[in-house]
Amino acid sequence: MASTHSTFKNALIAILATFPSILFYISFLHHHNNEDHSLWNWCNQHPFLLANVMFFLNVNVLFWFIALLQSSLHWMIGLYWMVIPVMLLHFYANHPMAQYNQLRSWIVTILTWIWSIRMLHSYLRRENWQLGVKQDWRYIDMSHQYGKNWWWISFFAIYISQQVLQMGICLPLHVVHSVDKPLNLLDFIATVICIAGVTIAFYADTQLHIFISKNQKLKQLGQPLVPILDKGLWCYSRHPNYFGEQMWWWGLALFGWNLGHSYIFIGAVLNSMCLGYVTMLVEKKMVRENYRSNAYNLYQKNTSMWIPWLIKSTSNDKGKKN
C-alpha cells in the first residue's frame, strides 16, 4: 500500500514538474504577435535558444531541486529522457517560425511517439511499474565517489550533461520543422532505419526482462542463477538493445541530414560515444559479479559488442566437434 501511495505521489510530481514550461509556452503562443514585447519577440526569433533556456530552468534547476528534496533520488531525469523528445517535437512543430513538409512532420511525429511509448513501457516494466523507488546505478556509484560534494556535482554530472546530449540528438526534430522540402528516397530509408531500431530494441529489452525475471525466481527458490543471456538477439550481440537505440537516433539524424544540415550527426555521434562509455561500465559491472565472471569473459570473446554478428567459434567448440 505504501508503495502504491509513493508511486502515485511521484507520478503526480512528474506530471506537474513540467507545467511551468508548458504554461509559459502556451502564453507565448497567445502573445507572439505582440512585437512591442521584447520577451515574446526574442522567443519568436530564437526557437532553439528558447528550448534550451526552458530545459535549463525547468529540467536542470527544478528537477535537481526536487531530487535534493527527495534525498538525492535523481529518478525523474531518467523518466523524462523518454518524454522530452516528444515535448521538443511539438515545441518545434507549433512554434510560429516553423515551416515544414506536413507529411514528413507526420512521419517523424508518429515515429517519435512510438519510440517514446516503447521506452516508457520498458522503463516502467523494469521498475516494476513504480516511480521514484530506484535510481540509475551509475548515479549511485558517482554519489559514493564524490561523497558529500555529490549534491552540487550532480547538477553538472546529471542535468547539464543531459541537456547537452538530449538537445544535440534532438536537433533533427528542429530541422524537420524548419525546412520545407518534398519527401524523397532518403526519408524512406530514414523511416526504415528508425522502425528497425525501435523493433530491435523492443525485442532485446523484452528478452532481457524475461531473463532477469527468471533469475529473480531462481534466487527466491535458492537455486543457481543463469550467468548470462546468450539467446535470441543476445546470441549475436552483447548489447542488442543499445544497437537498436543507436539505429533509432542515426535514422532520425538522417532526416535532418537529408534537409541539408550535415552538422546534424553531431548529436548522434556524441550519443554513440556516451553509450560506448556506458557499455564499458556495464561490462565491468558484469565481470565483477563472481557467479558470471568466467561465463561473461567467454561471452565477450565470442560475441560482438554492438553490431549483431555470427557467434565466433572457440577452441572448446572445435574440440567438441572433433
Side-chain angles (χ1 to χ4, degrees):
M1 191 69 180
S3 176
T4 303
H5 174 74
S6 176
T7 297
F8 178 79
K9 180 191 72 174
N10 287 327
L12 188 61
I13 291 172
I15 292 170
L16 296 177
T18 54
F19 267 40
S21 288
I22 294 172
L23 294 176
F24 176 83
Y25 191 60
I26 292 173
S27 179
F28 159 64
L29 292 178
H30 281 294
H31 299 92
H32 73 91
N33 288 322
N34 185 1
E35 297 181 359
D36 295 331
H37 197 293
S38 57
L39 175 61
W40 302 136
N41 189 44
W42 184 88
C43 293
N44 198 42
Q45 296 298 322
H46 305 283
F48 181 69
L49 290 179
L50 173 59
N52 272 277
V53 170
M54 293 169 67
F55 194 115
F56 179 82
L57 295 176
N58 200 156
V59 177
N60 294 355
V61 176
L62 183 57
F63 282 23
W64 175 68
F65 182 69
I66 292 172
L68 293 182
L69 293 179
Q70 294 188 319
S71 303
S72 290
L73 276 175
H74 303 278
W75 62 272
M76 202 154 59
I77 188 68
L79 174 67
Y80 265 92
W81 172 265
M82 304 150 240
V83 178
I84 287 174
V86 172
M87 298 180 72
L88 285 172
L89 168 77
H90 291 287
F91 170 91
Y92 292 132
N94 290 284
H95 193 276
M97 296 294 287
Q99 51 178 340
Y100 50 87
N101 178 280
Q102 189 69 59
L103 182 56
R104 180 182 291 109
S105 175
W106 285 347
I107 292 171
V108 172
T109 298
I110 292 170
L111 289 173
T112 306
W113 270 97
I114 291 173
W115 169 85
S116 179
I117 292 170
R118 196 233 34 112
M119 289 286 286
L120 280 169
H121 173 262
S122 179
Y123 172 85
L124 293 171
R125 180 176 59 183
R126 186 177 70 243
E127 301 297 313
N128 294 318
W129 307 98
Q130 297 176 331
L131 290 175
V133 177
K134 298 184 292 184
Q135 68 172 331
D136 196 307
W137 60 269
R138 293 166 295 180
Y139 302 158
I140 296 174
D141 286 352
M142 285 192 286
S143 69
H144 294 156
Q145 179 182 352
Y146 294 108
K148 63 181 181 180
N149 293 317
W150 174 240
W151 73 271
W152 66 267
I153 292 177
S154 62
F155 179 75
F156 300 94
I158 297 177
Y159 298 92
I160 295 296
S161 63
Q162 290 274 11
Q163 176 169 358
V164 173
L165 182 57
Q166 194 145 51
M167 294 304 293
I169 56 177
C170 288
L171 272 172
L173 302 177
H174 176 43
V175 173
V176 164
H177 293 100
S178 60
V179 179
D180 186 2
K181 288 184 178 180
L183 266 70
N184 57 34
L185 179 61
L186 280 179
D187 288 297
F188 173 75
I189 294 174
T191 301
V192 171
I193 292 173
C194 287
I195 293 173
V198 171
T199 303
I200 290 171
F202 169 76
Y203 280 107
D205 276 343
T206 298
Q207 290 166 0
L208 179 60
H209 174 71
I210 293 171
F211 171 78
I212 292 173
S213 298
K214 286 182 178 178
N215 262 354
Q216 288 174 342
K217 291 179 181 178
L218 290 173
K219 187 176 181 180
Q220 291 171 357
L221 295 172
Q223 298 179 7
L225 303 182
V226 180
I228 60 169
L229 170 59
D230 57 359
K231 302 293 189 297
L233 293 174
W234 299 79
C235 177
Y236 306 103
S237 167
R238 302 200 301 270
H239 304 278
N241 50 347
Y242 291 173
F243 174 72
E245 184 69 3
Q246 289 306 293
M247 282 189 69
W248 157 259
W249 290 115
W250 281 89
L252 190 65
L254 186 57
F255 279 107
W257 182 79
N258 185 34
L259 294 172
H261 293 260
S262 56
Y263 66 86
I264 211 71
F265 285 110
I266 292 175
V269 170
L270 182 60
N271 188 50
S272 293
M273 291 171 61
C274 290
L275 200 53
Y277 177 68
V278 170
T279 301
M280 290 171 53
L281 294 179
V282 170
E283 299 219 329
K284 286 180 180 179
K285 182 172 180 283
M286 292 290 185
V287 174
R288 284 200 303 265
E289 297 175 333
N290 292 330
Y291 80 97
R292 75 171 84 202
S293 179
N294 292 334
Y296 201 82
N297 280 325
L298 184 61
Y299 184 52
Q300 286 177 310
K301 292 177 183 177
N302 296 340
T303 311
S304 169
M305 184 174 72
W306 272 3
I307 301 174
W309 203 253
L310 294 177
I311 189 168
K312 302 173 187 175
S313 61
T314 65
S315 56
N316 290 338
D317 293 332
K318 292 176 181 177
K320 288 178 182 178
K321 289 178 183 178
N322 294 331

